[in-house]
Amino acid sequence: MKTGPLSKDHSLLLSWYRANRRDLPWRRNRDPYQIWVSEVMLQQTTVAAVVPYYEKFLTLFPRVEDLAQAPENAVLKAWAGLGYYSRARNLHKAAKALAEKGFPKAAAELIEYPGFGPYTSAAVASIAFGDRVGVLDGNVIRVLCRRFGLDVDWWTTTAKKDLQARADAFAQLGQPDEINQALMELGATICTPQSPACLLCPWTSRCEARRADQVRSLPRPKPRKKIEIWTWSPVVFRKKNQVALLQRHDTPVLRGQWLFPGDFEQVKKKPSSFHARHGITHHDLYVNVSTSSRLPRDPSFQWVDLDKVVEINPSKLLQKILDAAKGLKP
């Protein structure tokens, strides 16, 4: 892909970014650890929601070595409220390796670590170390599809390869740390999904979607994954102020985490009665809770103090189950 025609775009966008970028805590230095933590937190979460969690997290774990040495339950407790807890577990796993070996400076090396997908690897490597690789997140995809009038199935491998090449071309023109953040900033603040502020955009006269009156139709909407309906019948075993949890690998959600025992079943329609409802990704989960005074003797169960459950598994689903169990008799 030729980069020559992009130089004007590159210059206009950099000038706009330097004049309009938001003052965000992770933009105040180029520490790869701090940038990495922010990028992981920002996945599936808004900037406004992330800032207080980010600042608290760095107070608790100011260096990658501190995060590596922390127990997992302390990391999960600090993450509680952000959701998608596999992000925190992968962050912790990768921190152990990074604390020992140091941060690689290239996205191609970072991607080998747990939780470092193509986007996170490119973001950390380009922003912290100036690696000339483009980032491709939802904001950047939207900006590129509109700027170049790309009416494509952007979620497919072929289309993403083309979009990545376009993002890389911008990074290779120079200042990859700023240009990548500029593309994301433009998508987050100006070229938004609904009601984009086209007149404030540095590319307003260069945008193919605007020229063709396609701003509202690009990028194409991704087909939604069908929602699966599941029921779960957790059993709460309790003795004094403790409950029994089991590490489960047989579940449609929260796989590998400490949960209550009980059967999951996929159904065609939601049940008429249930104690709690919980949505996780494309799963709609309906929960009917029971309690038991017969204590399990299986050594694979772990007895956990009620006030420590959130440290073992911070998912709000467990708290919903415990709340429902309070009014039930064994």
Side-chain angles (χ1 to χ4, degrees):
M1 180 178 174
K2 295 181 180 180
T3 58
L6 297 182
S7 59
K8 182 65 173 178
D9 282 7
H10 186 274
S11 175
L12 288 169
L13 184 57
L14 274 185
S15 296
W16 171 85
Y17 175 69
R18 290 166 179 168
N20 295 280
R21 65 184 177 185
R22 292 169 292 178
D23 180 24
L24 301 174
W26 46 85
R27 287 180 174 166
R28 294 169 190 164
N29 61 61
R30 296 179 70 172
D31 183 315
Y33 170 63
Q34 295 185 23
I35 292 167
W36 172 44
V37 170
S38 74
E39 291 297 345
V40 176
M41 285 189 171
L42 286 164
Q43 296 167 17
Q44 311 289 337
T45 314
T46 65
V47 167
V50 161
V51 170
Y53 284 98
Y54 172 82
E55 293 175 338
K56 175 187 172 185
F57 197 88
L58 286 186
T59 299
L60 293 170
F61 315 112
R63 305 171 306 145
V64 69
E65 292 82 5
D66 300 312
L67 180 58
Q69 293 165 13
E72 184 182 89
N73 60 356
V75 177
L76 291 176
K77 186 177 181 181
W79 198 270
L82 281 170
Y84 299 92
Y85 294 98
S86 61
R87 294 183 296 169
R89 290 186 172 88
N90 284 331
L91 194 77
H92 193 217
K93 288 177 188 175
K96 294 178 181 179
L98 291 167
E100 181 181 341
K101 300 177 183 179
F103 271 86
K105 296 183 178 181
E109 296 175 65
L110 275 172
I111 203 168
E112 299 298 324
Y113 289 82
F116 274 91
Y119 166 76
T120 306
S121 303
V124 174
S126 64
I127 297 170
F129 302 114
D131 191 11
R132 295 196 175 199
V133 59
V135 296
L136 203 62
D137 70 349
N139 284 321
V140 177
I141 288 170
R142 183 169 59 258
V143 167
L144 294 178
C145 282
R146 287 175 175 171
R147 164 62 185 88
F148 297 105
L150 303 176
D151 189 7
V152 295
D153 294 339
W154 53 266
W155 55 90
T156 64
T157 302
T158 300
K160 278 201 169 181
K161 185 177 179 181
D162 174 66
L163 287 163
Q164 184 65 58
R166 293 174 187 271
D168 287 344
F170 277 111
Q172 288 157 11
L173 285 170
Q175 293 80 45
D177 58 324
E178 289 188 286
I179 201 67
N180 280 336
Q181 292 184 86
L183 284 165
M184 292 187 283
E185 188 82 340
L186 188 65
T189 63
I190 300 294
C191 194
T192 54
Q194 306 295 327
S195 304
C198 294
L199 294 179
L200 300 178
C201 178
W203 291 345
T204 187
S205 65
R206 305 172 68 81
C207 178
E208 293 296 333
R210 189 163 188 264
R211 187 175 297 158
D213 195 23
Q214 290 183 302
V215 172
R216 297 189 183 279
S217 60
L218 293 180
R220 285 183 188 175
K222 183 180 179 180
R224 290 191 176 185
K225 197 166 186 177
K226 186 177 180 181
I227 298 294
E228 296 180 6
I229 302 174
W230 288 77
T231 61
W232 182 23
S233 304
V235 182
V236 177
F237 293 98
R238 182 171 177 174
K239 61 176 183 181
K240 296 184 179 179
N241 69 329
Q242 293 186 314
V243 291
L245 299 179
L246 188 65
Q247 190 170 29
R248 302 192 59 177
H249 301 277
D250 60 337
T251 61
V253 295
L254 304 176
R255 193 165 297 162
Q257 299 187 31
W258 290 90
L259 301 170
F260 296 103
D263 294 334
F264 285 83
E265 182 183 0
Q266 187 172 3
V267 296
K268 293 184 177 180
K269 61 180 182 178
K270 76 174 187 179
S272 56
S273 63
F274 48 88
H275 288 121
R277 177 185 175 187
H278 194 76
I280 304 179
T281 60
H282 61 284
H283 297 85
D284 207 0
L285 189 61
Y286 294 86
V287 180
N288 273 304
V289 183
S290 63
T291 60
S292 177
S293 57
R294 294 179 58 190
L295 304 184
R297 299 183 181 276
D298 189 332
S300 56
F301 279 87
Q302 178 177 334
W303 287 97
V304 180
D305 291 345
L306 280 168
D307 60 357
K308 300 291 185 183
V309 169
V310 69
E311 297 180 17
I312 300 295
N313 190 334
S315 172
K316 292 180 181 178
L317 175 57
L318 270 70
Q319 192 56 55
K320 290 180 182 179
I321 292 169
L322 289 173
D323 290 343
K326 288 177 183 176
L328 300 176
K329 292 182 180 181

